[in-house]
Amino acid sequence: RRARVRLVLVGRSAPDAAARERIAALAAAGIEVMTAAVDVTDEPAMRRLRDAVRARFGAVHGVIHAAGVAGGGVLARHAATEAAAVLAPKVAGTRVLDRVLGVEPLDFFVLMSSLTARLGEFGQADYAAANAFLDAYAQMRHGEGSPMVAMGWDAWREAGMAARMEVGPALAAW
């Protein structure tokens, strides 16, 4: 409330009913929320969204890039299109965001990575590679003076990809 936050939530599809309830709660707390259904890998669409955000809110001050597609399965049995679908939101999406917003004087640019990038996990080679890209890209851009960082998260039982997937007993107990 004190910061008078303006939030832009972007996803490949429109928010579902549960997300709309959370968005309404944010609005009730005084946060101005704009939603958009845009694929982060679509650079012309992301440029249009940036322009719409600027028109409504003014300058963009920060980015949290949390897009991702869960991998899965033995890499030797993956079709190239399956691996490409896992890599696209993190690799191409990060590069698109950096090109589209690189001219903005951002306060922060956070990439949501995964511990899988460093620890690996059976059947997650494409997902580990996508997140390793985020870690390396953020390190490179930070070294160039960008406020970009990558945060390596573990699986969350309550939210995110792991919450939407069937998980083993070890994670379920966690």
Side-chain angles (χ1 to χ4, degrees), residues 116 119-125 128:
T116 305
L119 303 176
E121 188 175 325
F122 181 76
Q124 294 291 311

Side-chain angles (χ1 to χ4, degrees), residues 17 112 136 172:
M112 294 300 189

Side-chain angles (χ1 to χ4, degrees), residues 9 14 19 26-27 39 45 60 78 98-100 128-129 133 149 157 161:
L9 301 172
L26 291 171
D39 183 337
V60 175
H78 261 344
D98 199 20
R99 284 192 300 271
V100 168
F133 169 83
V149 297
R157 188 170 54 178
M161 288 182 263

Side-chain angles (χ1 to χ4, degrees), residues 8-15 34-40 46 49 67:
V8 180
L9 301 172
V10 182
R12 286 184 303 263
S13 57
M34 174 181 175
T35 62
V38 178
D39 183 337
V40 71
M46 291 303 295
L49 176 59

Side-chain angles (χ1 to χ4, degrees), residues 38-39 41-51 96 100:
V38 178
D39 183 337
T41 66
D42 182 345
E43 189 164 341
M46 291 303 295
R47 288 187 184 282
R48 288 189 298 275
L49 176 59
R50 177 205 56 205
D51 295 344
V96 165
V100 168

Side-chain angles (χ1 to χ4, degrees), residues 1-9 19-35 56-57:
R1 288 181 183 140
R2 284 179 276 164
R4 300 176 61 187
V5 172
R6 295 174 174 154
L7 183 62
V8 180
L9 301 172
R20 286 192 305 272
E21 285 181 28
R22 290 189 298 273
I23 292 166
L26 291 171
I31 297 172
E32 194 172 348
V33 181
M34 174 181 175
T35 62
R56 180 169 172 183
F57 296 136

